[in-house]
């Protein structure tokens, strides 16, 4: 089986501080040994209506501004800063990527030419953004399927096929909750998505917002070749995503365990493996077989 890629989603867990973001890149790369980190990019006045922009944050204790719009602006890095983040990723030997929430952000991040760009569940019906990436971006296009109906998912894949970009798509099974109870992870959706779209897109992934790391190894066993988890340095920090995020040691163990499970997903290529021969010679007891 192909070794799964693990994406540490930093998102906005940097609290708007680019030096915290740099430290998170370093930890994900050097300590946890992840394959990629991922940030988020929003053009907030394009993404939000004026009413949404000027409304109070729905959870004031997690807000970094007087309104939801100013909160989002506080957490936003500009394109120059994203270029710096990408350079730091290259220096630490880890891949850089970003989720884009609107067309302007998609154009900006595509200009940096990352290996992949992510479309979050909330924005996967922004067909203008999908069309732009399908026409103009040659990297992988990762799309989460959270809070998306089967018919909507069919429209998304059909659109990418129509523009000849389905071979760039990695489709993620996902339940959009923070955190998600185990019984609502619905892990067997991986099979459903793979059965329906596995031959139409490049690969299938799993984006998890659950607690712990047991589920992710099961996702690999069910065929996910990409695993994405939110990452934080401290789950007690202010913000809505920290509670559903892994701290550094949890992320390190997830990488270790998913790679171990991937290595184990094989069948015996000969009746008795070489590792078994000494034990067979020492311990195996042979008795004649009698047939009546």
């Amino acid at each position: 089986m192909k070794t799964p890629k693990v994406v540490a989603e930093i998102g906005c867990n940097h609290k708007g501080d680019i030096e915290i973001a740099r430290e998170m890149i370093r930890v994900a790369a050097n300590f946890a040994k992840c394959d990629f980190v991922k940030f988020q990019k929003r053009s907030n006045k394009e993404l939000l209506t004026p009413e949404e922009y000027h409304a109070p944050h729905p959870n004031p204790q997690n807000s970094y501004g007087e309104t939801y719009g100013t909160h989002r602006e506080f957490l936003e890095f500009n394109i120059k800063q994203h270029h710096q983040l990408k350079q730091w990723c290259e220096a630490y030997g880890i891949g850089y990527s970003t989720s884009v929430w609107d067309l302007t952000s998609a154009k900006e991040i595509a200009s940096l030419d990352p290996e992949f760009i992510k479309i979050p569940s909330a924005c996967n019906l922004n067909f203008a953004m999908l069309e732009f990436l399908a026409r103009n971006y040659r990297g992988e296009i990762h799309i989460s399927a959270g809070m998306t109906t089967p018919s909507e998912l069919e429209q998304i894949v059909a659109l990418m096929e129509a523009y000849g970009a389905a071979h760039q798509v990695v489709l993620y099974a996902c339940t959009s909750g923070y955190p998600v109870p185990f019984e609502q992870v619905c892990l067997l959706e991986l099979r459903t998505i793979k059965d329906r779209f596995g031959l139409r897109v490049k690969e299938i992934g799993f984006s998890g917002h659950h607690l712990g790391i047991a589920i992710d190894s099961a996702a690999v066993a069910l065929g996910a070749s990409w695993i994405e988890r939110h990452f934080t340095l401290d789950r007690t920090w202010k913000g809505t995503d920290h509670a559903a995020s892994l701290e550094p040691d949890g992320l390190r163990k997830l990488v270790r365990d998913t790679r171990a499970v991937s290595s184990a997903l094989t069948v015996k290529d000969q009746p008795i493996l070489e590792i078994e021969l000494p034990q067979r010679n020492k311990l195996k007891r042979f008795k004649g077989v009698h047939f009546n």
Side-chain angles (χ1 to χ4, degrees):
M1 178 180 175
K2 182 179 178 182
T3 303
K5 301 289 188 183
V6 178
V7 181
E9 180 170 2
I10 294 172
C12 299
N13 282 351
H14 48 67
K15 303 194 295 182
D17 187 327
I18 199 163
E19 287 302 321
I20 292 177
R22 181 178 188 173
E23 175 64 7
M24 295 180 80
I25 293 169
R26 186 192 67 80
V27 171
N30 296 344
F31 179 70
K33 310 296 184 186
C34 291
D35 300 287
F36 288 86
V37 293
K38 184 169 69 67
F39 294 92
Q40 295 184 13
K41 187 77 180 76
R42 293 171 168 90
S43 299
N44 292 300
K45 290 187 176 178
E46 176 180 339
L47 178 66
L48 302 171
T49 66
E51 292 76 17
E52 290 171 328
Y53 192 95
H54 295 292
H57 192 290
N59 298 298
Q61 69 274 16
N62 288 319
S63 183
Y64 287 92
E66 292 185 3
T67 68
Y68 186 69
T70 55
H71 160 78
R72 292 257 46 110
E73 301 289 9
F74 183 89
L75 294 172
E76 192 65 36
F77 292 146
N78 62 36
I79 191 62
K80 184 177 179 181
Q81 290 172 309
H82 274 273
H83 184 259
Q84 177 65 77
L85 294 170
K86 186 171 185 281
Q87 289 183 318
W88 283 335
C89 287
E90 291 167 356
Y92 287 122
I94 192 170
Y96 159 90
S97 186
T98 295
S99 290
V100 294
W101 287 66
D102 53 81
L103 181 57
T104 297
S105 296
K107 291 178 178 179
E108 289 181 329
I109 296 302
S111 74
L112 298 179
D113 196 28
E115 290 187 48
F116 75 87
I117 290 175
K118 181 75 182 295
I119 308 300
S121 298
C123 306
N124 63 18
L125 298 179
N126 185 335
F127 295 134
M129 181 168 66
L130 291 177
E131 179 183 342
F132 168 81
L133 291 173
R135 286 179 175 272
N136 299 284
Y137 175 65
R138 298 279 66 87
E140 291 182 353
I141 303 168
H142 292 208
I143 304 174
S144 270
M147 48 186 170
T148 305
T149 68
S151 62
E152 289 169 341
L153 202 54
E154 174 61 36
Q155 291 179 60
I156 293 165
V157 174
L159 183 149
M160 303 309 282
E161 288 174 326
Y163 290 105
H167 68 285
Q168 299 167 239
V169 172
V170 177
L171 206 54
Y172 285 71
C174 176
T175 296
S176 299
Y178 302 87
V180 176
F182 293 130
E183 63 274 13
Q184 294 185 51
V185 172
C186 302
L187 201 53
L188 292 181
E189 281 295 301
L190 274 164
R191 285 184 179 173
T192 302
I193 291 174
K194 191 159 190 169
D195 288 346
R196 187 173 178 188
F197 300 109
L199 296 178
R200 297 170 63 186
V201 300
K202 183 173 183 178
E203 292 179 290
I204 305 299
F206 173 68
S207 177
H209 305 109
H210 50 279
L211 300 177
I213 60 173
I215 299 297
D216 306 279
S217 291
V220 172
L222 288 169
S225 54
W226 289 80
I227 300 293
E228 176 188 274
R229 290 295 304 274
H230 283 263
F231 168 51
T232 183
L233 297 181
D234 187 340
R235 294 180 69 245
T236 68
W237 277 351
K238 183 170 78 171
T240 54
D241 286 349
H242 295 286
S245 300
L246 295 175
E247 291 181 336
D249 200 46
L251 186 62
R252 178 188 65 83
K253 290 176 180 177
L254 178 142
V255 173
R256 177 200 66 191
D257 290 355
T258 54
R259 289 177 181 166
V261 168
S262 173
S263 296
L265 288 171
T266 61
V267 296
K268 291 186 176 183
D269 58 5
Q270 54 193 52
I272 305 296
L273 296 179
E274 185 176 346
I275 195 173
E276 295 179 299
L277 289 174
Q279 319 313 320
R280 178 178 171 88
N281 294 335
K282 178 181 178 182
L283 301 173
K284 194 76 168 181
R285 294 296 179 261
F286 295 92
K287 293 184 179 180
V289 179
H290 300 283
F291 296 95
N292 294 323

